[in-house]
Amino acid sequence: MAKKPINRNEEAPLEGLRLVLNKQAIHLDPLVNQVSNLPPADQQLEYYFVPRQFMTEYKAYNRPGKPLKNLKLVNYDKPAISVSFFYKHKYSIERQVTHQDVVQHIKNYRDELLNRSLMQQLSSSQQRELQQTDELLRTIRQQPDAYQACFSNYYHKYYYWYCTYRYFEKDELTGAITTKTSTSSEHLLKHTERVGHPVHERLNIIFIDPEYINESVPHDQKVIDRELTTYPIKLRQGVTTLYLREKDKL
């Protein structure tokens, strides 16, 4: 059974926290501080490096099991001695699809083109696309086994930034800091926005040990695009694309 997502309801006062963070947060330079793969400037990603001496001031926001909706303490109680970033392409591919779902997707796609034609004149390419989609819909309805299909949001290009950090472990009995280190990774929250809706701001705090702050953690490249290129017909609707290929051409 798939793990249910954590329900985040409560929010932190970000405006007040930013005033504090502007005084406490420090800038890390890969040439000096041994931090690597810093994310490029991204309006959707907001994060701060805070020295460990200020960590206890954020104890009230440390909510294991009941995280805040707009604030993430990436490594509370585990100040980093090395930090690296990487992003993962978050996607899914669904190969077990029903004929009804395929027909509905094509119909919705066709209807979007039709609605657009009521608001504005379609270009010649859009008119051809509308005609081809209409013909495809008719074929799929009349010949359910004519195409093999799958759904995927792969080309939506949805990326999640992750922070990998190394830290000194604590003794389980005494709680004292040891010389043994461990590595952990956490995904970062990002600002989200929907058309016609306000931006939901979310920030991340990464605690670091100024005395020690090593190398990036590589991640496997995805090869799913090799499979999807074998489906010549692609109909994108929202974040999901329907891929079709004729069975006799497999």
Side-chain angles (χ1 to χ4, degrees):
M1 181 180 295
K3 185 178 179 181
K4 293 183 179 180
I6 297 175
N7 186 19
R8 302 170 184 264
N9 292 319
E10 299 183 52
E11 298 188 355
L14 297 190
E15 291 187 12
L17 280 173
R18 287 190 181 102
L19 294 176
V20 176
L21 288 167
N22 286 335
K23 297 179 180 179
Q24 296 178 345
I26 64 173
H27 172 74
L28 296 183
D29 187 329
L31 298 177
V32 178
N33 303 111
Q34 301 178 18
V35 60
S36 60
N37 296 344
L38 284 168
D42 186 346
Q43 293 181 346
Q44 293 183 316
L45 185 64
E46 182 179 2
Y47 65 95
Y48 301 86
F49 294 115
V50 176
R52 62 176 302 168
Q53 59 263 36
F54 300 114
M55 191 164 57
T56 55
E57 297 182 22
Y58 298 85
K59 185 176 182 179
Y61 302 111
N62 183 39
R63 305 275 299 278
K66 302 179 81 172
L68 294 165
K69 187 176 183 178
N70 60 346
L71 172 67
K72 183 165 187 174
L73 305 183
V74 176
N75 57 333
Y76 185 83
D77 209 30
K78 298 177 181 178
I81 59 176
S82 122
V83 178
S84 178
F85 295 87
F86 66 94
Y87 61 74
K88 282 187 177 181
H89 185 175
K90 305 291 285 187
Y91 66 90
S92 64
I93 179 169
E94 184 181 354
R95 300 177 180 86
Q96 301 299 320
V97 301
T98 67
H99 178 251
Q100 180 180 355
D101 288 341
V102 171
V103 169
Q104 189 63 50
H105 184 99
I106 300 175
K107 182 179 181 300
N108 291 342
Y109 187 86
R110 192 263 323 259
D111 290 346
E112 285 187 2
L113 290 173
L114 283 173
N115 292 334
R116 192 182 307 168
S117 69
L118 298 176
M119 304 296 295
Q120 62 185 54
Q121 183 176 357
L122 298 180
S123 65
S124 57
S125 62
Q126 290 174 326
Q127 291 174 353
R128 286 195 302 271
E129 184 179 12
L130 176 57
Q131 181 180 357
Q132 292 169 354
T133 304
D134 200 51
E135 293 173 354
L136 178 62
L137 178 60
R138 186 162 49 251
T139 300
I140 289 289
R141 281 173 167 168
Q142 296 173 351
Q143 304 176 48
D145 296 327
Y147 292 90
Q148 181 180 359
C150 72
F151 286 108
S152 178
N153 61 355
Y154 183 79
Y155 285 109
H156 184 58
K157 300 300 182 185
Y158 182 66
Y159 296 103
Y160 239 121
W161 277 101
Y162 278 74
C163 172
T164 296
Y165 58 94
R166 182 175 297 146
Y167 61 95
F168 287 119
E169 293 186 4
K170 289 185 177 181
D171 186 279
E172 294 183 0
L173 297 178
T174 65
I177 301 296
T178 69
T179 57
K180 184 179 180 180
T181 64
S182 288
T183 301
S184 185
S185 294
E186 290 285 343
H187 77 271
L188 302 180
L189 303 181
K190 65 178 183 178
H191 298 341
T192 58
E193 180 180 10
R194 292 184 179 180
V195 177
H197 293 77
V199 176
H200 295 284
E201 296 183 336
R202 298 178 170 93
L203 64 82
N204 308 270
I205 297 178
I206 304 168
F207 299 102
I208 56 99
D209 188 328
E211 292 186 49
Y212 296 95
I213 213 112
N214 198 358
E215 62 199 33
S216 64
V217 178
H219 61 285
D220 295 332
Q221 292 184 340
K222 312 298 185 190
V223 295
I224 192 65
D225 55 334
R226 295 181 182 178
E227 176 181 354
L228 293 180
T229 54
T230 65
Y231 292 79
I233 300 176
K234 304 174 179 64
L235 303 179
R236 176 173 172 178
Q237 185 183 17
V239 301
T240 301
T241 304
L242 169 67
Y243 299 85
L244 297 167
R245 63 187 177 198
E246 296 182 51
K247 288 187 176 180
D248 60 357
K249 294 184 179 181
L250 296 180

